Amino acid sequence: MPTSRQDSVTSKLAGERAECAWDLVKDVSNFLPELSFVVPARNEAASIGACVEALVRQGDEIRVEVIVVDNGSTDDTSAIAIAHGARVVHEPRPGLAHARQAGLVHAQAPILVFVDADTLLPPGWATAALAEFRLHPRMVAFSPAFHFHDGRLLDNVGNAIFREILCPLTNAFLLGLGRPGILIGSTMALRTDALRAAGGVDQAFQFYGEDTMIARRLGKFGEVTFVQRPY
């Protein structure tokens, strides 16, 4: 039978091993991304470089990963995305919902942001997005206000009305009815685990309406809303 001294040594060794294992877990977590950007793309060679570059720069403040889902491109979309720092995964089945789902499968961070390939996020956007989720723990998803970086004057005026009046009013109306608020497909930030628990992206909506279905699915897990900031 082990002596009491042996018991003490064994207990001490077990404690040291447990402490080392916990330190290893903490070390690994320090390398995992805090936010995953997923960019569905099909023949987006003209815009994907600038988009990815803006997303990679978000990593100056927090840990991010940038995943470009090549949805059957026949141009240099993948090569350009890789050259600018993205990880590329391929989804041969055509359709935005398929591409979004592929990105969800590969995302490693607790917060996932779907971004269109022609979207340019300003510096500090990701940090502000994480702060938004910390400030509102019941919130599972949001879409931000946005500007056109290449729009005509008429486009910009229309967008200002949409951004400052129509979206906030519609969002408030929906929330008042107890329904999910507005998600806009060009930029959607959400809690990764919530979308997975909701069954992922509805594959029945391959282009128009898949963002609305994401909002409906996520609405069962918390608040879905439109925000004026960050944009």
mmCIF file of all heavy atoms in Angstrom, residues 45-91:
data_model
loop_
_atom_site.group_PDB
_atom_site.id
_atom_site.type_symbol
_atom_site.label_atom_id
_atom_site.label_comp_id
_atom_site.label_asym_id
_atom_site.label_seq_id
_atom_site.Cartn_x
_atom_site.Cartn_y
_atom_site.Cartn_z
ATOM 1 N N ALA A 45 -12.756 38.825 -58.883
ATOM 2 C CA ALA A 45 -11.348 39.217 -58.981
ATOM 3 C C ALA A 45 -11.155 40.727 -58.911
ATOM 4 O O ALA A 45 -10.148 41.215 -58.387
ATOM 5 C CB ALA A 45 -10.742 38.673 -60.275
ATOM 6 N N ALA A 46 -12.109 41.486 -59.403
ATOM 7 C CA ALA A 46 -11.957 42.937 -59.448
ATOM 8 C C ALA A 46 -12.033 43.580 -58.071
ATOM 9 O O ALA A 46 -11.459 44.649 -57.849
ATOM 10 C CB ALA A 46 -13.031 43.544 -60.360
ATOM 11 N N SER A 47 -12.728 42.948 -57.125
ATOM 12 C CA SER A 47 -12.959 43.599 -55.835
ATOM 13 C C SER A 47 -12.412 42.843 -54.636
ATOM 14 O O SER A 47 -12.246 43.434 -53.563
ATOM 15 C CB SER A 47 -14.461 43.816 -55.631
ATOM 16 O OG SER A 47 -15.157 42.580 -55.666
ATOM 17 N N ILE A 48 -12.102 41.562 -54.791
ATOM 18 C CA ILE A 48 -11.776 40.742 -53.618
ATOM 19 C C ILE A 48 -10.483 41.178 -52.937
ATOM 20 O O ILE A 48 -10.352 41.080 -51.707
ATOM 21 C CB ILE A 48 -11.703 39.242 -54.007
ATOM 22 C CG1 ILE A 48 -11.733 38.373 -52.758
ATOM 23 C CG2 ILE A 48 -10.476 38.946 -54.853
ATOM 24 C CD1 ILE A 48 -13.022 38.419 -52.000
ATOM 25 N N GLY A 49 -9.517 41.684 -53.690
ATOM 26 C CA GLY A 49 -8.249 42.097 -53.086
ATOM 27 C C GLY A 49 -8.428 43.210 -52.071
ATOM 28 O O GLY A 49 -7.934 43.124 -50.943
ATOM 29 N N ALA A 50 -9.133 44.251 -52.444
ATOM 30 C CA ALA A 50 -9.347 45.381 -51.530
ATOM 31 C C ALA A 50 -10.204 44.964 -50.338
ATOM 32 O O ALA A 50 -9.963 45.398 -49.202
ATOM 33 C CB ALA A 50 -10.022 46.529 -52.282
ATOM 34 N N CYS A 51 -11.194 44.113 -50.590
ATOM 35 C CA CYS A 51 -12.051 43.633 -49.508
ATOM 36 C C CYS A 51 -11.237 42.867 -48.472
ATOM 37 O O CYS A 51 -11.309 43.158 -47.271
ATOM 38 C CB CYS A 51 -13.153 42.737 -50.077
ATOM 39 S SG CYS A 51 -14.171 41.912 -48.837
ATOM 40 N N VAL A 52 -10.454 41.894 -48.924
ATOM 41 C CA VAL A 52 -9.652 41.078 -48.007
ATOM 42 C C VAL A 52 -8.621 41.923 -47.278
ATOM 43 O O VAL A 52 -8.385 41.759 -46.071
ATOM 44 C CB VAL A 52 -8.975 39.920 -48.769
ATOM 45 C CG1 VAL A 52 -7.925 39.229 -47.897
ATOM 46 C CG2 VAL A 52 -10.022 38.925 -49.235
ATOM 47 N N GLU A 53 -8.004 42.840 -47.989
ATOM 48 C CA GLU A 53 -6.998 43.704 -47.363
ATOM 49 C C GLU A 53 -7.595 44.495 -46.202
ATOM 50 O O GLU A 53 -6.983 44.619 -45.134
ATOM 51 C CB GLU A 53 -6.422 44.647 -48.416
ATOM 52 C CG GLU A 53 -5.208 45.423 -47.951
ATOM 53 C CD GLU A 53 -4.557 46.201 -49.075
ATOM 54 O OE1 GLU A 53 -4.359 45.625 -50.160
ATOM 55 O OE2 GLU A 53 -4.260 47.391 -48.850
ATOM 56 N N ALA A 54 -8.810 45.016 -46.392
ATOM 57 C CA ALA A 54 -9.472 45.770 -45.320
ATOM 58 C C ALA A 54 -9.810 44.865 -44.141
ATOM 59 O O ALA A 54 -9.739 45.294 -42.975
ATOM 60 C CB ALA A 54 -10.741 46.433 -45.852
ATOM 61 N N LEU A 55 -10.157 43.608 -44.421
ATOM 62 C CA LEU A 55 -10.490 42.668 -43.350
ATOM 63 C C LEU A 55 -9.243 42.237 -42.585
ATOM 64 O O LEU A 55 -9.253 42.144 -41.354
ATOM 65 C CB LEU A 55 -11.198 41.443 -43.932
ATOM 66 C CG LEU A 55 -12.524 41.699 -44.645
ATOM 67 C CD1 LEU A 55 -13.113 40.391 -45.160
ATOM 68 C CD2 LEU A 55 -13.519 42.413 -43.742
ATOM 69 N N VAL A 56 -8.171 41.970 -43.304
ATOM 70 C CA VAL A 56 -6.919 41.570 -42.650
ATOM 71 C C VAL A 56 -6.427 42.673 -41.723
ATOM 72 O O VAL A 56 -5.896 42.405 -40.639
ATOM 73 C CB VAL A 56 -5.859 41.209 -43.712
ATOM 74 C CG1 VAL A 56 -4.479 41.049 -43.070
ATOM 75 C CG2 VAL A 56 -6.252 39.934 -44.448
ATOM 76 N N ARG A 57 -6.610 43.932 -42.121
ATOM 77 C CA ARG A 57 -6.171 45.057 -41.284
ATOM 78 C C ARG A 57 -6.928 45.115 -39.961
ATOM 79 O O ARG A 57 -6.432 45.718 -38.998
ATOM 80 C CB ARG A 57 -6.333 46.377 -42.037
ATOM 81 C CG ARG A 57 -5.232 46.657 -43.042
ATOM 82 C CD ARG A 57 -5.138 48.150 -43.361
ATOM 83 N NE ARG A 57 -6.393 48.658 -43.889
ATOM 84 C CZ ARG A 57 -6.680 48.748 -45.189
ATOM 85 N NH1 ARG A 57 -5.797 48.350 -46.090
ATOM 86 N NH2 ARG A 57 -7.837 49.240 -45.590
ATOM 87 N N GLN A 58 -8.100 44.510 -39.901
ATOM 88 C CA GLN A 58 -8.829 44.466 -38.624
ATOM 89 C C GLN A 58 -8.028 43.709 -37.564
ATOM 90 O O GLN A 58 -8.223 43.897 -36.371
ATOM 91 C CB GLN A 58 -10.186 43.794 -38.813
ATOM 92 C CG GLN A 58 -11.075 44.412 -39.873
ATOM 93 C CD GLN A 58 -11.521 45.823 -39.533
ATOM 94 O OE1 GLN A 58 -11.855 46.127 -38.387
ATOM 95 N NE2 GLN A 58 -11.518 46.704 -40.526
ATOM 96 N N GLY A 59 -7.113 42.844 -38.030
ATOM 97 C CA GLY A 59 -6.279 42.075 -37.118
ATOM 98 C C GLY A 59 -5.193 42.877 -36.437
ATOM 99 O O GLY A 59 -4.444 42.332 -35.623
ATOM 100 N N ASP A 60 -5.099 44.165 -36.729
ATOM 101 C CA ASP A 60 -4.135 45.007 -36.019
ATOM 102 C C ASP A 60 -4.534 45.179 -34.551
ATOM 103 O O ASP A 60 -3.682 45.492 -33.710
ATOM 104 C CB ASP A 60 -4.050 46.392 -36.674
ATOM 105 C CG ASP A 60 -3.424 46.349 -38.059
ATOM 106 O OD1 ASP A 60 -2.801 45.317 -38.386
ATOM 107 O OD2 ASP A 60 -3.571 47.335 -38.811
ATOM 108 N N GLU A 61 -5.827 44.991 -34.233
ATOM 109 C CA GLU A 61 -6.325 45.230 -32.878
ATOM 110 C C GLU A 61 -6.808 43.957 -32.190
ATOM 111 O O GLU A 61 -6.691 43.836 -30.973
ATOM 112 C CB GLU A 61 -7.464 46.259 -32.914
ATOM 113 C CG GLU A 61 -7.032 47.615 -33.455
ATOM 114 C CD GLU A 61 -8.191 48.600 -33.517
ATOM 115 O OE1 GLU A 61 -9.343 48.188 -33.271
ATOM 116 O OE2 GLU A 61 -7.930 49.784 -33.801
ATOM 117 N N ILE A 62 -7.379 43.019 -32.930
ATOM 118 C CA ILE A 62 -7.854 41.763 -32.360
ATOM 119 C C ILE A 62 -7.432 40.619 -33.284
ATOM 120 O O ILE A 62 -6.970 40.853 -34.396
ATOM 121 C CB ILE A 62 -9.390 41.743 -32.180
ATOM 122 C CG1 ILE A 62 -10.082 41.830 -33.551
ATOM 123 C CG2 ILE A 62 -9.844 42.874 -31.269
ATOM 124 C CD1 ILE A 62 -11.568 41.569 -33.491
ATOM 125 N N ARG A 63 -7.611 39.388 -32.817
ATOM 126 C CA ARG A 63 -7.257 38.225 -33.634
ATOM 127 C C ARG A 63 -8.422 37.905 -34.569
ATOM 128 O O ARG A 63 -9.532 37.622 -34.112
ATOM 129 C CB ARG A 63 -6.945 37.013 -32.749
ATOM 130 C CG ARG A 63 -5.732 37.213 -31.844
ATOM 131 C CD ARG A 63 -5.371 35.936 -31.107
ATOM 132 N NE ARG A 63 -6.489 35.391 -30.336
ATOM 133 C CZ ARG A 63 -6.839 35.811 -29.136
ATOM 134 N NH1 ARG A 63 -6.167 36.795 -28.556
ATOM 135 N NH2 ARG A 63 -7.864 35.254 -28.501
ATOM 136 N N VAL A 64 -8.164 37.940 -35.857
ATOM 137 C CA VAL A 64 -9.206 37.654 -36.839
ATOM 138 C C VAL A 64 -8.710 36.589 -37.817
ATOM 139 O O VAL A 64 -7.501 36.382 -37.974
ATOM 140 C CB VAL A 64 -9.625 38.916 -37.625
ATOM 141 C CG1 VAL A 64 -10.073 40.018 -36.690
ATOM 142 C CG2 VAL A 64 -8.508 39.395 -38.544
ATOM 143 N N GLU A 65 -9.654 35.916 -38.441
ATOM 144 C CA GLU A 65 -9.347 35.073 -39.596
ATOM 145 C C GLU A 65 -10.246 35.529 -40.735
ATOM 146 O O GLU A 65 -11.375 35.966 -40.518
ATOM 147 C CB GLU A 65 -9.569 33.591 -39.285
ATOM 148 C CG GLU A 65 -10.999 33.195 -39.025
ATOM 149 C CD GLU A 65 -11.186 31.678 -38.909
ATOM 150 O OE1 GLU A 65 -10.250 30.937 -39.265
ATOM 151 O OE2 GLU A 65 -12.269 31.264 -38.455
ATOM 152 N N VAL A 66 -9.732 35.428 -41.936
ATOM 153 C CA VAL A 66 -10.475 35.835 -43.132
ATOM 154 C C VAL A 66 -10.616 34.611 -44.027
ATOM 155 O O VAL A 66 -9.625 34.061 -44.514
ATOM 156 C CB VAL A 66 -9.764 36.969 -43.886
ATOM 157 C CG1 VAL A 66 -10.586 37.370 -45.117
ATOM 158 C CG2 VAL A 66 -9.549 38.175 -42.973
ATOM 159 N N ILE A 67 -11.854 34.178 -44.210
ATOM 160 C CA ILE A 67 -12.147 33.007 -45.035
ATOM 161 C C ILE A 67 -12.904 33.464 -46.278
ATOM 162 O O ILE A 67 -13.986 34.053 -46.165
ATOM 163 C CB ILE A 67 -13.005 31.989 -44.267
ATOM 164 C CG1 ILE A 67 -12.304 31.538 -42.985
ATOM 165 C CG2 ILE A 67 -13.339 30.790 -45.155
ATOM 166 C CD1 ILE A 67 -13.184 30.709 -42.065
ATOM 167 N N VAL A 68 -12.341 33.214 -47.426
ATOM 168 C CA VAL A 68 -13.042 33.478 -48.684
ATOM 169 C C VAL A 68 -13.574 32.148 -49.203
ATOM 170 O O VAL A 68 -12.805 31.187 -49.366
ATOM 171 C CB VAL A 68 -12.118 34.133 -49.720
ATOM 172 C CG1 VAL A 68 -12.791 34.173 -51.098
ATOM 173 C CG2 VAL A 68 -11.752 35.546 -49.284
ATOM 174 N N VAL A 69 -14.874 32.075 -49.417
ATOM 175 C CA VAL A 69 -15.486 30.865 -49.956
ATOM 176 C C VAL A 69 -15.640 31.057 -51.463
ATOM 177 O O VAL A 69 -16.495 31.810 -51.918
ATOM 178 C CB VAL A 69 -16.843 30.576 -49.310
ATOM 179 C CG1 VAL A 69 -17.429 29.281 -49.873
ATOM 180 C CG2 VAL A 69 -16.714 30.480 -47.795
ATOM 181 N N ASP A 70 -14.779 30.377 -52.212
ATOM 182 C CA ASP A 70 -14.841 30.470 -53.671
ATOM 183 C C ASP A 70 -15.975 29.574 -54.154
ATOM 184 O O ASP A 70 -15.915 28.350 -54.035
ATOM 185 C CB ASP A 70 -13.507 30.035 -54.277
ATOM 186 C CG ASP A 70 -13.429 30.347 -55.765
ATOM 187 O OD1 ASP A 70 -14.466 30.225 -56.451
ATOM 188 O OD2 ASP A 70 -12.344 30.704 -56.240
ATOM 189 N N ASN A 71 -16.989 30.201 -54.719
ATOM 190 C CA ASN A 71 -18.212 29.499 -55.091
ATOM 191 C C ASN A 71 -18.247 29.184 -56.598
ATOM 192 O O ASN A 71 -19.210 29.486 -57.287
ATOM 193 C CB ASN A 71 -19.420 30.322 -54.689
ATOM 194 C CG ASN A 71 -20.712 29.536 -54.618
ATOM 195 O OD1 ASN A 71 -21.789 30.095 -54.755
ATOM 196 N ND2 ASN A 71 -20.647 28.230 -54.386
ATOM 197 N N GLY A 72 -17.127 28.603 -57.064
ATOM 198 C CA GLY A 72 -17.077 28.193 -58.459
ATOM 199 C C GLY A 72 -16.549 29.246 -59.402
ATOM 200 O O GLY A 72 -16.947 29.294 -60.578
ATOM 201 N N SER A 73 -15.630 30.072 -58.943
ATOM 202 C CA SER A 73 -15.083 31.136 -59.791
ATOM 203 C C SER A 73 -14.297 30.564 -60.968
ATOM 204 O O SER A 73 -13.636 29.529 -60.855
ATOM 205 C CB SER A 73 -14.164 32.055 -58.978
ATOM 206 O OG SER A 73 -14.865 32.709 -57.948
ATOM 207 N N THR A 74 -14.356 31.280 -62.078
ATOM 208 C CA THR A 74 -13.550 30.918 -63.246
ATOM 209 C C THR A 74 -12.460 31.955 -63.503
ATOM 210 O O THR A 74 -11.749 31.873 -64.511
ATOM 211 C CB THR A 74 -14.451 30.791 -64.495
ATOM 212 O OG1 THR A 74 -15.157 32.017 -64.710
ATOM 213 C CG2 THR A 74 -15.445 29.653 -64.327
ATOM 214 N N ASP A 75 -12.341 32.947 -62.614
ATOM 215 C CA ASP A 75 -11.291 33.959 -62.745
ATOM 216 C C ASP A 75 -10.262 33.747 -61.640
ATOM 217 O O ASP A 75 -10.139 32.655 -61.086
ATOM 218 C CB ASP A 75 -11.896 35.373 -62.709
ATOM 219 C CG ASP A 75 -12.608 35.674 -61.397
ATOM 220 O OD1 ASP A 75 -12.536 34.842 -60.460
ATOM 221 O OD2 ASP A 75 -13.245 36.750 -61.292
ATOM 222 N N ASP A 76 -9.509 34.791 -61.293
ATOM 223 C CA ASP A 76 -8.421 34.668 -60.318
ATOM 224 C C ASP A 76 -8.839 35.020 -58.895
ATOM 225 O O ASP A 76 -7.998 35.408 -58.068
ATOM 226 C CB ASP A 76 -7.255 35.569 -60.732
ATOM 227 C CG ASP A 76 -6.585 35.104 -62.014
ATOM 228 O OD1 ASP A 76 -6.588 33.880 -62.263
ATOM 229 O OD2 ASP A 76 -6.070 35.959 -62.757
ATOM 230 N N THR A 77 -10.117 34.890 -58.570
ATOM 231 C CA THR A 77 -10.601 35.242 -57.235
ATOM 232 C C THR A 77 -9.790 34.573 -56.130
ATOM 233 O O THR A 77 -9.329 35.228 -55.191
ATOM 234 C CB THR A 77 -12.089 34.867 -57.082
ATOM 235 O OG1 THR A 77 -12.870 35.688 -57.957
ATOM 236 C CG2 THR A 77 -12.563 35.069 -55.657
ATOM 237 N N SER A 78 -9.599 33.273 -56.216
ATOM 238 C CA SER A 78 -8.893 32.537 -55.158
ATOM 239 C C SER A 78 -7.446 32.989 -55.014
ATOM 240 O O SER A 78 -6.966 33.239 -53.895
ATOM 241 C CB SER A 78 -8.941 31.032 -55.428
ATOM 242 O OG SER A 78 -10.220 30.515 -55.208
ATOM 243 N N ALA A 79 -6.748 33.097 -56.131
ATOM 244 C CA ALA A 79 -5.337 33.478 -56.085
ATOM 245 C C ALA A 79 -5.156 34.869 -55.494
ATOM 246 O O ALA A 79 -4.240 35.111 -54.689
ATOM 247 C CB ALA A 79 -4.734 33.416 -57.485
ATOM 248 N N ILE A 80 -6.030 35.793 -55.856
ATOM 249 C CA ILE A 80 -5.929 37.159 -55.338
ATOM 250 C C ILE A 80 -6.246 37.187 -53.846
ATOM 251 O O ILE A 80 -5.565 37.865 -53.064
ATOM 252 C CB ILE A 80 -6.889 38.094 -56.117
ATOM 253 C CG1 ILE A 80 -6.440 38.209 -57.573
ATOM 254 C CG2 ILE A 80 -6.946 39.473 -55.468
ATOM 255 C CD1 ILE A 80 -7.441 38.920 -58.465
ATOM 256 N N ALA A 81 -7.263 36.433 -53.438
ATOM 257 C CA ALA A 81 -7.621 36.389 -52.018
ATOM 258 C C ALA A 81 -6.470 35.845 -51.182
ATOM 259 O O ALA A 81 -6.133 36.397 -50.119
ATOM 260 C CB ALA A 81 -8.873 35.535 -51.833
ATOM 261 N N ILE A 82 -5.841 34.783 -51.648
ATOM 262 C CA ILE A 82 -4.705 34.196 -50.926
ATOM 263 C C ILE A 82 -3.546 35.189 -50.861
ATOM 264 O O ILE A 82 -2.901 35.355 -49.819
ATOM 265 C CB ILE A 82 -4.272 32.882 -51.594
ATOM 266 C CG1 ILE A 82 -5.351 31.813 -51.409
ATOM 267 C CG2 ILE A 82 -2.938 32.398 -51.030
ATOM 268 C CD1 ILE A 82 -5.120 30.558 -52.229
ATOM 269 N N ALA A 83 -3.285 35.861 -51.968
ATOM 270 C CA ALA A 83 -2.177 36.829 -52.010
ATOM 271 C C ALA A 83 -2.365 37.961 -51.013
ATOM 272 O O ALA A 83 -1.386 38.553 -50.536
ATOM 273 C CB ALA A 83 -2.039 37.379 -53.426
ATOM 274 N N HIS A 84 -3.622 38.281 -50.687
ATOM 275 C CA HIS A 84 -3.898 39.366 -49.747
ATOM 276 C C HIS A 84 -4.101 38.887 -48.311
ATOM 277 O O HIS A 84 -4.434 39.683 -47.430
ATOM 278 C CB HIS A 84 -5.115 40.168 -50.211
ATOM 279 C CG HIS A 84 -4.823 41.090 -51.353
ATOM 280 N ND1 HIS A 84 -4.785 40.655 -52.663
ATOM 281 C CD2 HIS A 84 -4.535 42.425 -51.377
ATOM 282 C CE1 HIS A 84 -4.496 41.686 -53.443
ATOM 283 N NE2 HIS A 84 -4.334 42.755 -52.705
ATOM 284 N N GLY A 85 -3.931 37.582 -48.081
ATOM 285 C CA GLY A 85 -3.921 37.097 -46.704
ATOM 286 C C GLY A 85 -5.120 36.289 -46.264
ATOM 287 O O GLY A 85 -5.242 35.970 -45.074
ATOM 288 N N ALA A 86 -5.998 35.913 -47.182
ATOM 289 C CA ALA A 86 -7.177 35.133 -46.815
ATOM 290 C C ALA A 86 -6.897 33.637 -46.903
ATOM 291 O O ALA A 86 -5.988 33.194 -47.609
ATOM 292 C CB ALA A 86 -8.355 35.486 -47.714
ATOM 293 N N ARG A 87 -7.686 32.879 -46.176
ATOM 294 C CA ARG A 87 -7.737 31.422 -46.351
ATOM 295 C C ARG A 87 -8.899 31.134 -47.287
ATOM 296 O O ARG A 87 -10.003 31.636 -47.062
ATOM 297 C CB ARG A 87 -7.940 30.716 -45.004
ATOM 298 C CG ARG A 87 -8.125 29.207 -45.102
ATOM 299 C CD ARG A 87 -7.851 28.557 -43.751
ATOM 300 N NE ARG A 87 -8.791 28.959 -42.730
ATOM 301 C CZ ARG A 87 -9.826 28.211 -42.313
ATOM 302 N NH1 ARG A 87 -10.044 27.038 -42.871
ATOM 303 N NH2 ARG A 87 -10.615 28.640 -41.362
ATOM 304 N N VAL A 88 -8.680 30.330 -48.300
ATOM 305 C CA VAL A 88 -9.724 30.051 -49.295
ATOM 306 C C VAL A 88 -10.238 28.628 -49.119
ATOM 307 O O VAL A 88 -9.454 27.675 -49.013
ATOM 308 C CB VAL A 88 -9.198 30.252 -50.724
ATOM 309 C CG1 VAL A 88 -10.217 29.764 -51.751
ATOM 310 C CG2 VAL A 88 -8.877 31.726 -50.970
ATOM 311 N N VAL A 89 -11.544 28.493 -49.060
ATOM 312 C CA VAL A 89 -12.185 27.189 -49.114
ATOM 313 C C VAL A 89 -13.088 27.184 -50.347
ATOM 314 O O VAL A 89 -13.567 28.239 -50.781
ATOM 315 C CB VAL A 89 -12.995 26.883 -47.838
ATOM 316 C CG1 VAL A 89 -12.100 26.878 -46.618
ATOM 317 C CG2 VAL A 89 -14.129 27.867 -47.651
ATOM 318 N N HIS A 90 -13.304 26.014 -50.905
ATOM 319 C CA HIS A 90 -14.061 25.917 -52.148
ATOM 320 C C HIS A 90 -15.411 25.244 -51.898
ATOM 321 O O HIS A 90 -15.493 24.216 -51.217
ATOM 322 C CB HIS A 90 -13.266 25.144 -53.194
ATOM 323 C CG HIS A 90 -12.044 25.864 -53.662
ATOM 324 N ND1 HIS A 90 -12.056 26.749 -54.726
ATOM 325 C CD2 HIS A 90 -10.768 25.855 -53.189
ATOM 326 C CE1 HIS A 90 -10.841 27.241 -54.900
ATOM 327 N NE2 HIS A 90 -10.047 26.716 -53.984
ATOM 328 N N GLU A 91 -16.445 25.855 -52.418
ATOM 329 C CA GLU A 91 -17.791 25.298 -52.392
ATOM 330 C C GLU A 91 -18.288 25.226 -53.831
ATOM 331 O O GLU A 91 -18.692 26.238 -54.404
ATOM 332 C CB GLU A 91 -18.721 26.160 -51.531
ATOM 333 C CG GLU A 91 -20.184 25.726 -51.568
ATOM 334 C CD GLU A 91 -20.374 24.245 -51.321
ATOM 335 O OE1 GLU A 91 -20.226 23.821 -50.155
ATOM 336 O OE2 GLU A 91 -20.646 23.517 -52.300
#
